[in-house]
Amino acid sequence: MLFHIDDLPVYFPYDRIYPEQYAYMCSLKQTLDAQGHGVLEMPSGTGKTVSLLSLIISYQQHYPEKRKLIYCSRTVPEIEKALAELKRLIEYRKSCGLNETILGLGLTSRRNLCLHPSVSKEKKGKIVDARCHNLTAPWVREAAQAGQDIETCSFYEELERGDVREIVPDAIYTLDDIKELGKAKKTCPYYMARRLISHANVIIYSYHYMLDPKIADLISKELSKESIVVFDEAHNIDNVCIDSLSLDIMRPTLEASSKSIAQLSERIEQLKQQGSEKLKNEYEKLVQGLQDTLAARDEESIMANPALPDDLLHEAVPGNIRKAEHFVAFLKRFNEYLKTRLRVLNVTAETPSSFLRHLKEITFIERKPLQFCAERLSLLTRTLELNNLDDLASLQKVAALATLAATYDKGFMLVLEPYESENATVPNPILRFACLDASIAIKPIFERFSSVIITSGTLSPLDMYPKILDFKATVQESYPMTLTRNCFLPMVITRGSDQVAISSKFEVRNDPAVVRNFGNILIEFGKVVPDGIVAFFPSYLYMESIIAMWHEMGILTEAWKTKLIFVETPDSAETSIALDNYRRACENGRGAILLAVARGKVSEGIDFDHHYGRAVVMFGIPYQYTESRILKARLEFLRDEHRVRENDFLTFDALRHAAQCLGRVLRGKTDYGLMVFADRRYARQDKRSKLPKWINQYITDTSVNLSTDMGIAIAKKFLRSMAQPLETQAQLGVSLWTLDDVLARQKAQKEKLERVGGVHQQLQQQYGATEAQRLMQDRASGKVYMDVD
Amino acid sequence: MAATMTMNTSLLDDDVCPVCQTDRYLNPQMKLKVGPCFHKMCENCIERLFAHGPAPCPTCRQTLRKATFSEQTFEDLSVEKEVRIRRQMSSKFNKRREDFKSLKEYNDYLEKVEDLTFKLVNEIDVETTKQEIDKFAAENRDLIRINADRLLNESRMATHRQEMLRKERQQHREAYLKELEAEQLAKSEDRKNLIQELATSDKSAKTILAARQAISLKKTSMRKTEVKLTTASSAGSTPMFSDSYRWMQQNDDMDRRQQEEEDDQANDNFDPVQSQYMEVDLGVGYVNSVNNNKAHAGGLVYPLLTSSIGVKDLYVEPLGVGNLSQMAKAGGYRNAFGYERAIEDAHTALYLPGL
């Protein structure tokens, strides 16, 4: 359907639209108009992706700036879904008679795209990357062109021969499409996609291409400032940011990097004996300054790499690591120093600055050369023309640690943990370089791009994200779900049928009474709920101990009478088998229970729509392991820097994961399911207020403090009424709008505006059309008007 | 280079004393020490060999003393050696960036030092290198001394700073814990009082609960403003601006409390806009609204009235006006600017999130 938001024609590829989708698009347009950042929460399963795409594409095509859309998602299946949705949208736009050229594509790793007959057989991403590099590195190709007998990749050579733009016509390419195209043209799909990035109107790829400084520098540095960046499923974005700047160093890492260092020095020796000019050239270049050696770096488009800030690029490499052999000796000293650190057998935590001081005392390594370590290493590997880059992975890690520790003082922490667990006796030391500040990794993105949209099904409480990511949001909105029938029922079970309070609190979590009551919930719900039930636990450890206790108590045997039981494990292959069989059991009517873990694989990427999940039970509150030193350091940091209270953050983090788990059950308005919060603490206001608005609005006072038997009675009634057939007609106008509904609504709004026209005009002059409209709505609905900055 | 490589391989099988062939298995307490010739030996052997004064090293025949042996820091002895050489070097070559005209010269200097060190480590032209080093040391004796002093000072400063930081962090932590504790205490006190009241008072339970709720709401909002206040004051960049900001915040805080009180009295839905257009009653109501920032926002210019009715002591002059004007003038501001900014500040208050 086609409708207008203000003056913008929006093409929406379906005949019906959900009211929240319409509202979502309005907010989105506001954000784009204001060239600001937005935080938008919309219930899962209400067509977030399609609303996003259709509004942004309409916006892009309507205005002459043609702002590029960069859509970042989390997993490959999600990227595929978004690409499919985009393809459908563009087809719809074509069928509406629009004549436009849109190039849209997805980017994923070499492993998923490679066509080379033997390289593509490799299972591990790192090995594929390294082997690809061996075939396509410039010196390898040069040697091959000079007539030496060296293997190169024919697909890459083909790409080099032609112009990418000529090979690839404007269209939307899903990951499969681009692979097919590569096959047909015999060119490399991976490099094709990478080179197209600067030409494409829409790019869909994973977070890491944007957030991980090491990758972003390669992939995303050419994107223009006007681009619209969208992070979908962004409820975990702070953890992604932190992970991208954190490193773990263990003994094997250091052993491997020792070996790599020896290799480097051997190679240098070799080159010297051959009298090669390469080292000399490199040295000459370094004397001139680092900036010139990285010729490709364009002034305007450099993405501030957190591991190497802009201003450093203009400085020359310090004299004491200019010569290759000096640099190798330098690396060796640093590596040996780390080894001595790992020999210490008590826990230490220190700031980067005290680490640097100690380092200087012991090895006379200064901060400056350390800062250049990563850059100098990559330069050296290029000069030495090294193949098999995967061998160097450990050394790269060590160099990255050097650079990060020397560059950042605040927001980082070095923690040495000599033992893996508290009661381990054999030391297995880990040096963790932990980033505590999520805003460091994402800061260049907020600074560089004018509009960054963060969106997900669970972002509550909304003001937390601007705080921990340190940005200002122009629009911050959470949408409730409009429903014809209350198709999901959240309930809080606080005690068992025997009135013993249930909780996963540490003191009582292994109390037999609590475990038995958890078990009873499972048994009772197994009896009344048809098909699939998914139950989440706070951690693997707790799940294991509970299952063992259930087994002893005979609860598992009891549950077995009604459902099959499957368990998620940390091993992803095992889990996928369990999932497959769970689905089969749901399909053939046997019914099944899946025991899974919050923060695990199942809780993040897998949907349990319709009969795959008629009920989700959350046993306990999935708090993080609070004794972890890194978490403690992070909490302290948040408290001192962002004024976020420790408990607030912990609760926020636990509840976003709980909401994420429970959100799995509902993937659309025709779906229905139960959401069971089984913990006494969920009844408290401070916990419930942190749940997303769309869940919270359906938690009624009657369902907030239930015992198991009361919960079962309500669930029975709910399931019986929900199992009745649902007519689409009934939804129309309420939770599903046709074009007429949209127009009618717009007209009603307009009339209302005309009634108070004078005021509105004034507002419009002041704030622009959409904003004024919203303000007027607020006024009309009795909300008090306070200006938003 | 070749020399270091061979040394490397011979020393890989560590934890065996090369003199008496004892290993960790036979003597778990064994401690290996390294002499100036970079040959390892266990403590027992050192005791035995050097009991009667200087003796030759069993491996290389260099004459050694017991005191010159020290514990090994690095696994790789070549690094151990390098670091010792560097220690000596750094006592002489301690020039800084400031001592050079350009960055390039400094970098060249760094490279030269590195070259010399490298020669010493790998035992290439040791004699000439040593001469060169001595020459440098003699030439730059004064500068070396000055820089050594500077370095010492700096390291003292750094230690001090680190200590301060640590203390500060601890204080933060303690303050936070105290705050938490106080809050907890207040809460339990509240609860106790409530039960007491419910038990003793003859009012209906409903009214008591409602009153309680109002009070607790007020408290939470107060806490929030306090938090904001501290954030604001810590966030201020220039002292001038942060000052005025704090002043604004305080006023804001005050009128927030006031409004809450009014709210309690009225006991119905409170409209924050209402106070903006409050009747200009020159009595109590007026005093209230003068203190209210939003009064300026409402377009009513009260300052003109202040002198005539004598409520001036309650009226806070905007910074840079009145008695402060001398200071402001020194800063290059005109009087009008002060008022202008006060009005702007008042508007800024509107941008704070809703009450």
Side-chain angles (χ1 to χ4, degrees):
Chain A
M1 70 168 90
L2 165 66
F3 55 89
H4 286 73
I5 297 179
D6 299 335
D7 55 336
L8 174 74
V10 178
Y11 290 85
F12 190 75
Y14 298 95
D15 293 336
R16 315 254 163 80
I17 186 169
Y18 292 144
E20 47 277 79
Q21 283 180 315
Y22 177 76
Y24 185 79
M25 289 195 213
C26 289
S27 304
L28 205 55
K29 183 175 179 296
Q30 273 171 35
T31 322
L32 298 183
D33 280 339
Q35 305 236 337
H37 310 313
V39 179
L40 301 170
E41 179 184 65
M42 174 139 113
S44 50
T46 48
K48 206 171 358 145
T49 312
V50 71
S51 333
L52 255 171
L53 289 174
S54 65
L55 185 99
I56 296 180
I57 298 288
S58 302
Y59 194 91
Q60 177 185 63
Q61 295 300 325
H62 184 70
Y63 293 107
E65 297 95 1
K66 298 248 187 267
R67 294 167 71 181
K68 188 180 279 200
L69 166 62
I70 305 158
Y71 181 99
C72 306
S73 198
R74 208 176 33 185
T75 59
V76 176
E78 271 161 8
I79 291 169
E80 302 242 33
K81 252 195 264 172
L83 279 166
E85 203 72 75
L86 177 68
K87 204 169 178 185
R88 207 191 130 95
L89 172 71
I90 301 299
E91 268 161 27
Y92 174 77
R93 289 175 73 94
K94 282 237 169 76
S95 73
C96 288
L98 286 173
N99 183 25
E100 44 193 22
T101 52
I102 298 181
L103 178 62
L105 57 103
L107 181 64
T108 175
S109 65
R110 289 185 179 89
R111 190 173 66 108
N112 298 333
L113 288 177
C114 185
L115 289 177
H116 189 275
S118 72
V119 176
S120 60
K121 295 278 186 310
E122 296 286 353
K123 294 256 168 8
K124 277 193 179 151
K126 278 239 168 82
I127 297 177
V128 176
D129 289 354
R131 286 198 58 187
C132 180
H133 181 258
N134 288 353
L135 297 175
T136 56
W139 55 86
V140 173
R141 296 185 52 242
E142 255 168 48
Q145 269 161 15
Q148 285 181 40
D149 186 26
I150 293 177
E151 200 195 350
T152 55
C153 175
S154 66
F155 295 97
Y156 186 76
E157 293 303 316
E158 184 65 34
L159 181 72
E160 281 292 310
R161 232 163 279 155
D163 180 15
V164 202
R165 295 293 288 152
E166 279 167 24
I167 307 175
V168 186
D170 284 334
I172 303 300
Y173 297 96
T174 62
L175 298 179
D176 285 337
D177 287 346
I178 197 130
K179 217 171 159 176
E180 284 303 314
L181 187 76
K183 262 184 203 159
K185 306 258 181 187
K186 297 207 166 16
T187 47
C188 174
Y190 174 76
Y191 280 101
M192 207 151 72
R194 262 186 61 176
R195 284 181 196 186
L196 282 173
I197 281 180
S198 48
H199 305 283
N201 304 84
V202 186
I203 306 160
I204 301 186
Y205 57 34
S206 146
Y207 284 176
H208 299 278
Y209 290 106
M210 206 65 179
L211 291 176
D212 191 327
K214 289 164 243 122
I215 314 175
D217 196 39
L218 290 174
I219 310 273
S220 307
K221 68 174 176 189
E222 280 167 11
L223 302 171
S224 76
K225 196 188 170 307
E226 280 79 42
S227 306
I228 301 163
V229 180
V230 177
F231 289 103
D232 200 359
E233 302 292 334
H235 48 271
N236 251 342
I237 196 163
D238 54 321
N239 291 332
V240 178
C241 292
I242 280 178
D243 286 347
S244 72
L245 287 181
S246 296
L247 288 167
D248 283 358
I249 303 250
M250 304 198 335
R251 276 218 80 100
T253 325
L254 294 179
E255 299 297 343
S257 63
S258 276
K259 261 185 217 157
S260 305
I261 292 169
Q263 253 177 28
L264 286 182
S265 66
E266 235 169 82
R267 175 88 183 146
I268 290 171
E269 215 42 31
Q270 211 180 333
L271 276 183
K272 269 193 176 164
Q273 271 162 18
Q274 288 168 1
S276 168
E277 290 288 297
K278 278 170 192 144
L279 286 172
K280 218 175 241 171
N281 287 343
E282 182 203 55
Y283 172 74
E284 293 295 321
K285 272 188 205 162
L286 285 178
V287 173
Q288 320 247 314
L290 182 62
Q291 195 188 1
D292 304 335
T293 57
L294 307 164
R297 284 186 193 271
D298 188 6
E299 183 70 34
E300 176 63 40
S301 64
I302 292 169
M303 180 140 183
N305 178 348
L308 189 64
D310 262 351
D311 50 347
L312 266 181
L313 289 174
H314 302 290
E315 248 184 61
V317 166
N320 41 7
I321 55 168
R322 271 202 303 226
K323 279 193 179 164
E325 59 267 32
H326 291 173
F327 178 61
V328 171
F330 169 88
L331 278 178
K332 193 167 162 192
R333 246 182 307 150
F334 184 64
N335 201 45
E336 286 298 317
Y337 171 75
L338 290 181
K339 276 189 193 167
T340 63
R341 291 303 300 262
L342 282 195
R343 249 186 274 140
V344 178
L345 283 187
N346 47 348
V347 177
T348 49
E350 59 184 341
T351 57
S353 64
S354 82
F355 173 78
L356 289 182
R357 277 193 66 201
H358 189 245
L359 176 67
K360 198 182 161 193
E361 245 165 60
I362 302 285
T363 61
F364 302 94
I365 289 179
E366 305 255 353
R367 175 190 279 262
K368 206 66 196 247
L370 216 51
Q371 244 170 340
F372 283 89
C373 202
E375 204 67 36
R376 182 72 185 89
L377 178 65
S378 75
L379 197 63
L380 184 66
T381 50
R382 256 176 283 161
T383 317
L384 296 180
E385 304 186 344
L386 284 182
N387 286 344
N388 296 325
L389 283 183
D390 54 331
D391 293 348
L392 286 180
S394 305
L395 183 58
Q396 271 165 351
K397 218 175 182 181
V398 171
L401 168 71
T403 303
L404 284 173
T407 312
Y408 296 107
D409 193 22
K410 249 191 169 179
F412 284 86
M413 185 78 138
L414 280 131
V415 179
L416 176 82
E417 287 178 331
Y419 297 101
E420 243 169 322
S421 62
E422 254 165 57
N423 28 22
T425 47
V426 183
N428 181 19
I430 303 179
L431 181 67
R432 291 178 198 275
F433 181 74
C435 174
L436 308 174
D437 188 357
S439 65
I440 291 173
I442 207 169
K443 201 172 173 206
I445 295 165
F446 281 123
E447 273 173 5
R448 187 164 154 224
F449 298 109
S450 50
S451 290
V452 178
I453 316 274
I454 287 179
T455 181
S456 172
T458 45
L459 286 176
S460 292
L462 291 178
D463 53 349
M464 191 61 106
Y465 286 87
K467 254 192 222 164
I468 56 180
L469 298 179
D470 196 19
F471 71 101
K472 281 212 175 70
T474 335
V475 176
Q476 230 182 74
E477 203 75 64
S478 173
Y479 302 94
M481 205 165 181
T482 52
L483 293 171
T484 324
R485 49 173 201 171
N486 292 352
C487 66
F488 67 97
L489 176 70
M491 56 166 109
V492 180
I493 295 187
T494 55
R495 58 219 138 89
S497 302
D498 54 2
Q499 305 304 321
V500 174
I502 51 174
S503 171
S504 67
K505 222 171 166 173
F506 187 75
E507 297 80 33
V508 298
R509 54 164 42 181
N510 284 323
D511 189 337
V514 171
V515 176
R516 190 185 58 239
N517 274 318
F518 276 153
N520 276 335
I521 291 174
L522 199 70
I523 295 172
E524 296 300 326
F525 275 90
K527 283 178 188 160
V528 296
V529 176
D531 303 319
I533 298 178
V534 191
F536 287 100
F537 293 86
S539 69
Y540 282 113
L541 214 67
Y542 186 48
M543 178 166 81
E544 274 163 27
S545 78
I546 278 209
I547 290 177
M549 285 171 89
W550 279 353
H551 179 67
E552 276 167 27
M553 292 173 176
I555 285 168
L556 286 185
T557 347
E558 189 67 26
W560 216 298
K561 285 178 186 159
T562 50
K563 307 270 181 209
L564 295 180
I565 298 176
F566 298 93
V567 182
E568 182 193 7
T569 63
D571 183 89
S572 68
E574 248 174 24
T575 304
S576 63
I577 295 172
L579 258 172
D580 261 2
N581 287 315
Y582 169 79
R583 289 222 172 91
R584 259 178 48 205
C586 292
E587 252 148 35
N588 65 22
R590 174 66 173 85
I593 295 171
L594 180 65
L595 303 177
V597 168
R599 297 164 202 277
K601 192 169 176 279
V602 170
S603 73
E604 281 292 332
I606 290 152
D607 292 348
F608 295 99
D609 47 351
H610 299 282
H611 58 283
Y612 293 132
R614 283 300 179 212
V616 183
V617 187
M618 181 77 235
F619 290 120
I621 299 181
Y623 278 116
Q624 288 184 59
Y625 174 60
T626 41
E627 291 304 302
S628 143
R629 289 189 181 82
I630 290 174
L631 179 64
K632 275 185 180 163
R634 188 172 175 210
L635 287 175
E636 197 157 299
F637 178 83
L638 284 172
R639 194 185 66 221
D640 290 347
E641 294 298 315
H642 299 310
R643 310 242 155 221
V644 178
R645 290 171 153 239
E646 290 180 7
N647 276 336
D648 278 353
F649 181 77
L650 285 174
T651 318
F652 150 76
D653 183 69
L655 283 170
R656 72 174 161 182
H657 280 103
Q660 193 58 30
C661 293
L662 293 161
R664 302 284 104 201
V665 73
L666 200 72
R667 303 320 278 180
K669 290 186 177 180
T670 53
D671 197 1
Y672 64 90
L674 284 163
M675 297 178 176
V676 182
F677 298 84
D679 194 302
R680 190 168 59 95
R681 291 168 290 173
Y682 284 115
R684 283 170 46 183
Q685 188 55 39
D686 65 319
K687 302 283 181 303
R688 264 193 295 146
S689 64
K690 290 195 171 68
L691 285 171
K693 201 169 166 190
W694 61 276
I695 294 184
N696 223 341
Q697 94 193 94
Y698 289 102
I699 301 183
T700 53
D701 281 346
T702 49
S703 64
V704 93
N705 189 7
L706 300 172
S707 66
T708 310
D709 46 352
M710 286 150 78
I712 293 293
I714 294 176
K716 269 186 190 160
K717 205 171 126 214
F718 169 79
L719 288 166
R720 211 171 291 141
S721 67
M722 278 300 126
Q724 307 310 315
L726 172 71
E727 311 249 332
T728 332
Q729 216 55 39
Q731 295 182 56
L732 284 180
V734 187
S735 59
L736 200 58
W737 287 353
T738 58
L739 185 56
D740 294 337
D741 288 316
V742 175
L743 292 178
R745 170 148 179 110
Q746 283 179 343
K747 201 175 151 205
Q749 241 170 40
K750 214 169 165 193
E751 271 168 14
K752 210 190 272 168
L753 292 185
E754 269 158 22
R755 240 182 291 137
V756 273
V759 188
H760 178 240
Q761 239 169 23
Q762 199 188 331
L763 284 172
Q764 203 164 15
Q765 278 165 2
Q766 236 173 318
Y767 302 105
T770 358
E771 178 71 354
Q773 199 173 336
R774 204 178 62 82
L775 293 174
M776 291 311 291
Q777 273 172 27
D778 286 355
R779 280 210 168 173
S781 60
K783 265 201 251 172
V784 181
Y785 157 55
M786 295 295 280
D787 203 346
V788 266
D789 192 4
Chain B
M1 199 83 218
T4 49
M5 292 310 290
T6 51
M7 238 166 117
N8 248 343
T9 44
S10 68
L11 287 165
L12 275 180
D13 45 335
D14 57 341
D15 286 8
V16 177
C17 171
V19 182
C20 61
Q21 306 299 328
T22 312
D23 61 10
R24 259 305 112 88
Y25 179 72
L26 288 170
N27 178 12
Q29 269 90 48
M30 182 180 74
K31 256 189 196 160
L32 287 174
K33 287 192 163 183
V34 197
C37 61
F38 299 99
H39 290 119
K40 284 199 275 192
M41 225 175 285
C42 73
E43 253 180 339
N44 291 345
C45 289
I46 296 170
E47 285 295 331
R48 184 168 51 80
L49 288 174
F50 303 102
H52 305 293
C57 165
T59 327
C60 67
R61 300 275 134 211
Q62 198 178 329
T63 310
L64 305 171
R65 283 162 208 281
K66 192 160 122 188
T68 52
F69 279 84
S70 61
E71 247 175 85
Q72 187 181 351
T73 341
F74 295 96
E75 219 167 84
D76 189 337
L77 274 186
S78 65
V79 175
E80 185 85 36
K81 182 180 168 192
E82 191 182 332
V83 164
R84 280 193 199 172
I85 290 170
R86 272 176 200 283
R87 179 162 294 133
Q88 289 161 13
M89 292 290 282
S90 76
S91 64
K92 287 173 190 149
F93 291 90
N94 58 2
K95 279 200 189 181
R96 299 154 161 255
R97 170 72 187 84
E98 302 94 85
D99 302 332
F100 294 91
K101 267 180 233 130
S102 71
L103 185 67
K104 194 171 174 304
E105 276 172 45
Y106 178 55
N107 277 332
D108 289 341
Y109 158 78
L110 283 179
E111 196 187 322
K112 203 185 100 203
V113 177
E114 198 66 26
D115 265 332
L116 292 176
T117 319
F118 209 66
K119 276 183 188 162
L120 281 186
V121 171
N122 294 320
E123 287 158 20
I124 310 166
D125 307 332
V126 179
E127 279 315 306
T128 41
T129 317
K130 276 196 173 149
Q131 276 168 19
E132 217 172 308
I133 293 170
D134 289 340
K135 203 176 121 207
F136 175 87
E139 275 169 14
N140 296 290
R141 198 183 299 138
D142 292 345
L143 194 60
I144 288 171
R145 222 191 43 241
I146 293 170
N147 275 340
D149 285 351
R150 262 199 245 169
L151 205 70
L152 198 69
N153 254 347
E154 265 175 12
S155 94
R156 259 191 227 136
M157 274 296 281
T159 320
H160 178 67
R161 208 175 301 138
Q162 222 162 3
E163 189 60 21
M164 290 292 280
L165 263 176
R166 205 182 53 79
K167 267 189 193 152
E168 195 186 2
R169 197 175 298 149
Q170 202 171 349
Q171 269 170 6
H172 268 296
R173 162 125 211 108
E174 273 162 15
Y176 172 72
L177 285 179
K178 236 177 233 168
E179 195 185 320
L180 271 192
E181 206 175 305
E183 221 164 82
Q184 205 66 36
L185 207 72
K187 227 181 224 171
S188 62
E189 190 73 13
D190 254 13
R191 194 166 295 157
K192 223 190 268 168
N193 285 345
L194 176 65
I195 287 174
Q196 188 76 25
E197 202 174 342
L198 279 172
T200 53
S201 156
D202 46 0
K203 281 185 218 154
S204 81
K206 221 175 190 175
T207 46
I208 293 174
L209 279 178
R212 280 278 150 184
Q213 197 122 36
I215 290 170
S216 76
L217 264 179
K218 200 168 96 183
K219 272 188 185 151
T220 46
S221 78
M222 248 166 75
R223 210 186 66 210
K224 267 182 202 158
T225 47
E226 263 162 35
V227 168
K228 246 182 223 152
L229 193 75
T230 40
T231 345
S233 55
S234 66
S237 49
T238 60
M240 191 88 172
F241 268 88
S242 75
D243 247 358
S244 66
Y245 195 34
R246 203 174 300 143
W247 159 79
M248 194 190 79
Q249 283 273 344
Q250 269 162 5
N251 257 14
D252 194 57
D253 200 31
M254 250 158 78
D255 71 51
R256 213 169 274 200
R257 256 176 252 166
Q258 241 163 38
Q259 277 166 3
E260 266 155 19
E261 272 158 26
E262 282 163 13
D263 187 10
D264 281 358
Q265 284 161 12
N267 223 4
D268 56 12
N269 268 348
F270 169 67
D271 179 9
V273 189
Q274 195 188 345
S275 67
Q276 271 183 33
Y277 305 108
M278 215 156 43
E279 280 174 74
V280 188
D281 176 18
L282 293 185
V284 192
Y286 170 62
V287 176
N288 273 348
S289 48
V290 159
N291 252 339
N292 191 331
N293 275 322
K294 283 173 200 72
H296 302 291
L300 306 168
V301 190
Y302 288 120
L304 295 175
L305 293 170
T306 45
S307 54
S308 60
I309 44 169
V311 282
K312 190 158 182 179
D313 47 349
L314 273 167
Y315 169 66
V316 185
E317 275 279 31
L319 261 188
V321 192
N323 51 353
L324 280 166
S325 67
Q326 285 306 320
M327 233 164 78
K329 269 180 196 158
Y333 296 120
R334 274 172 298 142
N335 261 351
F337 179 74
Y339 284 114
E340 215 171 272
R341 207 176 59 207
I343 289 173
E344 256 162 33
D345 278 354
H347 279 284
T348 331
L350 287 175
Y351 290 78
L352 291 170
L355 298 172

